[in-house]
Amino acid sequence: MNLYYPGNIWLLLILIPLILSLFFWKRREKKRFSRFADSSFYSEYLNDRSQFLHYFKYILIILALAFIIFALLRPQWDYEEQEYSFNGLDIMVCLDVSKSMDAQDITPSRLLRAKMQIDSLLDNLKGDRIGIIAFAGVPTLECPLTDDYSCARLVLNSINTDTVVEYGTDIGAALALASRSFQSAGGSNILLLITDGEDLKGNAIIQAKRLSSQGVKIYVLGIGSEEGTFIRDEKTGQQAFTKLDTKTLQTIASIGKGKYFSVTPEQGKLDPILQNIYASESGRGRSRNFSILKDQYAIPAAIAIIILLVESLFLPRTRKRENV
């Protein structure tokens, strides 16, 4: 058994003085009687009163109050299945965490700006599920589709370019992993690809076509500048040039029947993407079964009412025998 409002248990303290008063009832009543009449008449006063019924009615009132307090604790026991239906999108975010995302042509860096955009996305979701795939040379499913946004945010904050399994950028492998992650999804499937577009493996277009054939819409957020910049490997000291590959990303978005957006030094809001998604996509109905404890407060409340009704039927009077 579970008590939904255990904090109300202190109300049971009210019963203590009521129960104690039963033991001092007769003494207190006799003392009060002596204020208005001689105590020698007290036995005559009790002739037409039933002490048993008097105490019985009082006990019934205390018992009814106990059941009312128990109902206020909202007891729960037994489990029942409840089905919740809701509409929502399934949004899988593929986030590029390759070394090129450390470039600072977008302040504070491409990756940090991308994470800021995803964090803003989490603040504006409306009951949708979100998942996160981090990819460089090898993609990893960091967060499966979930509506627990606080959990998704914790995962997002832990992602950086130092946690990659293999260096490089394989957008196609990330899209393939997203395809497998969507197989058990129940809503409208949206893929949000966030990258600078430098696909070193070159199979992103093939995987985008496969996702599109499965009904997945692909929205692309290109992050970086087309002018590009140099990044330096802190371990080897070597420098490499990196720039935003707009053409490839636009092609992926076109194949995926979505849209392409860019995060530039002048423009960095993810709001237009989310507004566009909500305007063009309608969440498919989903349902989920939950086992929950049944509320049973009605039972003690009903018992309390029955006890009070029974109490009202008794009058604390003795039956007088008629002399024949």
Side-chain angles (χ1 to χ4, degrees):
M1 186 181 69
N2 178 62
L3 299 177
Y4 193 83
Y5 295 120
N8 290 340
I9 202 168
W10 65 269
L11 293 172
L12 292 173
L13 296 175
I14 299 173
L15 301 178
I16 296 177
L18 296 178
I19 295 173
L20 291 176
S21 66
L22 280 172
F23 300 97
F24 303 100
W25 181 283
K26 191 172 182 178
R27 182 187 301 177
R28 188 181 67 220
E29 187 180 44
K30 188 174 183 179
K31 186 177 181 180
R32 292 177 62 186
F33 181 85
S34 63
R35 295 178 185 175
F36 303 98
D38 192 278
S39 57
S40 60
F41 293 102
Y42 184 66
S43 58
E44 295 294 331
Y45 169 71
L46 296 177
N47 280 339
D48 63 342
R49 297 185 63 199
S50 171
Q51 289 296 305
F52 171 77
L53 290 178
H54 189 79
Y55 281 107
F56 182 65
K57 284 171 65 68
Y58 193 76
I59 291 172
L60 286 179
I61 292 173
I62 293 176
L63 192 60
L65 181 58
F67 276 103
I68 291 173
I69 293 174
F70 187 50
L72 291 175
L73 296 177
R74 193 174 167 183
Q76 297 173 323
W77 64 83
D78 284 343
Y79 284 90
E80 63 179 350
E81 292 286 332
Q82 285 195 0
E83 183 179 6
Y84 290 87
S85 299
F86 51 94
N87 292 326
L89 303 173
D90 286 328
I91 303 175
M92 183 62 71
V93 178
C94 289
L95 176 61
D96 188 349
V97 292
S98 61
K99 283 298 181 180
S100 62
M101 293 293 286
D102 283 333
Q104 298 181 357
D105 50 351
I106 301 292
T107 56
S109 71
R110 293 179 182 177
L111 180 59
L112 289 177
R113 179 65 71 87
K115 292 172 66 172
M116 291 166 60
Q117 301 307 305
I118 299 172
D119 189 76
S120 176
L121 172 68
L122 290 170
D123 289 334
N124 292 281
L125 291 180
K126 303 173 181 177
D128 310 297
R129 295 194 299 179
I130 188 169
I132 300 175
I133 292 175
F135 71 94
V138 174
T140 56
L141 181 62
E142 300 290 343
C143 178
L145 288 167
T146 180
D147 53 10
D148 186 348
Y149 302 145
S150 59
C151 177
R153 187 172 276 111
L154 286 174
V155 171
L156 176 66
N157 292 335
S158 67
I159 295 174
N160 56 65
T161 58
D162 294 327
T163 59
V164 298
V165 178
E166 181 180 323
Y167 292 115
T169 306
D170 191 347
I171 297 176
L175 299 183
L177 178 57
S179 175
R180 296 192 295 273
S181 302
F182 275 130
Q183 288 179 2
S184 59
S188 294
N189 299 333
I190 304 296
L191 187 139
L192 177 58
L193 175 63
I194 304 178
T195 178
D196 53 22
E198 292 186 325
D199 184 21
L200 302 182
K201 301 295 183 179
N203 60 347
I205 303 299
I206 297 173
Q207 294 299 332
K209 291 179 180 179
R210 181 174 299 174
L211 274 173
S212 181
S213 66
Q214 296 173 355
V216 178
K217 290 284 188 70
I218 303 176
Y219 290 82
V220 181
L221 182 64
I223 187 161
S225 62
E226 294 186 356
E227 294 77 14
T229 186
F230 284 94
I231 56 171
R232 182 175 177 274
D233 191 320
E234 295 181 357
K235 295 181 179 179
T236 64
Q238 295 180 343
Q239 287 189 335
F241 185 75
T242 175
K243 67 175 183 177
L244 177 65
D245 187 354
T246 304
K247 184 177 179 180
T248 299
L249 298 182
Q250 287 177 336
T251 302
I252 293 174
S254 177
I255 293 172
K257 299 177 182 178
K259 287 192 175 182
Y260 169 78
F261 299 85
S262 63
V263 174
T264 64
E266 295 78 23
Q267 188 272 333
K269 293 292 183 181
L270 196 59
D271 295 344
I273 294 183
L274 193 58
Q275 292 172 5
N276 188 275
I277 291 174
Y278 280 135
S280 58
E281 306 293 334
S282 58
R284 222 169 28 234
R286 295 202 301 265
S287 64
R288 186 180 300 176
N289 290 327
F290 293 92
S291 294
I292 63 173
L293 285 167
K294 290 182 180 179
D295 281 323
Q296 307 287 1
Y297 61 87
I299 296 177
I303 294 175
I305 294 173
I306 293 172
I307 291 174
L308 290 175
L309 289 175
V310 171
E311 184 274 337
S312 67
L313 298 177
F314 293 97
L315 292 175
R317 293 286 187 268
T318 57
R319 290 185 178 181
K320 294 183 178 180
R321 295 182 179 179
E322 297 182 359
N323 295 325
V324 179

